[in-house]
Structure formats: structure tokens, C-alpha cells
Amino acid sequence: DEIGVFGAPGRDPRGRTISIAHAAVIAGKPPQVSGGDDARNAAWLDPREVSDLAFDHAQILQLALTWLASGVKASDLALDFLPQTFDLNGMKRVTKATLASSRPASWIARRLELLGRIEKIKGMPGRYRRVNPK
């Protein structure tokens, strides 16, 4: 998803730069990352532990984190982080990791259940299964 377009004059002292930032959820192990020139130290990092970002990159990162938390709270994005079957503790880990903890995991699970995206597994209290969309 597109997070935003950033092109304020002076955002990069090297010259006029316009950037379009995107965010996505990657299932499984993330691919190797590499960069050249001024990005030679490119790496996957925990966004909550990142500091000293260049230019307006802190603003861009904050918008991406807001997108992530909003997606977990208001859509079915939480399911992209969970296996086919999961329990409420798994949902709690997702809400904590995505900073969407302002909503309890049980609330998010109940909303997804009402939307028909998950269902309780009979005979297994506290366990849910994803329902594949038709």
C-alpha cells in the first residue's frame, strides 16, 4: 500500500528528491537486503528501535507504523501475521508487535469472527481458524 508522497523542497540537501513510500507485510523470512553507495548498510531493523534517520525518513517510518496499526485494528491485516489456525495468545503477539495494542486481541478476534474471516474451532476453546474468502 502507498504510505505517501514526499517531495518538500529541501528534504534532501543533495537536491530535489521526490519519494513514494510503500508498506507491505512479508510472510515468512524476509528476503536479503542490500544497497550501494549511501545505502550500503541497508538491513532489516525493528522499527521501534531505529534512530538517527536521514532527512524526513522518521516521518515516513511513523506513517508506515500508523498504517500497520490501523490495518490490524480496522481490517483483516492481523491475519497476514498468523498461521491458518491460532489462539488468542497469537493474536495478542500480533497486536503488541504491530503497536495496535489499543484494541484488545479479543476485540480484534471477535470483529474478524463477525466479518466471517475467522471461526472458532469446535472442541478447542480459544482456538480459531482462518476462513478463506470466496
Side-chain angles (χ1 to χ4, degrees):
D1 286 5
E2 184 178 304
I3 300 301
V5 178
F6 305 87
R11 69 180 284 265
D12 185 339
R14 299 171 295 186
R16 184 70 190 259
T17 303
I18 299 172
S19 299
I20 302 171
H22 292 83
V25 174
I26 300 171
K29 185 178 177 183
Q32 288 288 72
V33 63
S34 64
D37 193 30
D38 61 343
R40 66 184 163 277
N41 294 325
W44 293 107
L45 302 170
D46 183 332
R48 295 169 292 185
E49 297 175 4
V50 173
S51 62
D52 300 327
L53 295 174
F55 319 126
D56 57 357
H57 296 172
Q59 174 192 6
I60 296 169
L61 178 60
Q62 187 55 54
L63 287 171
L65 292 172
T66 299
W67 167 84
L68 182 61
S70 295
V72 169
K73 287 187 271 189
S75 75
D76 63 357
L77 187 63
L79 297 178
D80 289 345
F81 295 95
L82 293 164
Q84 182 66 28
T85 63
F86 60 93
D87 61 15
L88 205 51
N89 285 329
M91 183 66 77
K92 285 178 185 176
R93 285 191 298 277
V94 168
T95 58
K96 183 177 179 183
T98 61
L99 309 175
S101 58
S102 65
R103 292 279 190 202
S106 58
W107 184 92
I108 293 172
R110 181 68 181 139
R111 184 180 54 76
L112 291 172
E113 188 177 4
L114 290 171
L115 291 172
R117 297 294 290 129
I118 64 173
E119 62 187 6
K120 291 181 180 174
I121 300 174
K122 292 180 179 145
M124 300 180 77
R127 300 269 318 158
Y128 297 88
R129 111 174 81 243
R130 294 166 68 165
V131 176
N132 295 325
K134 296 179 180 175

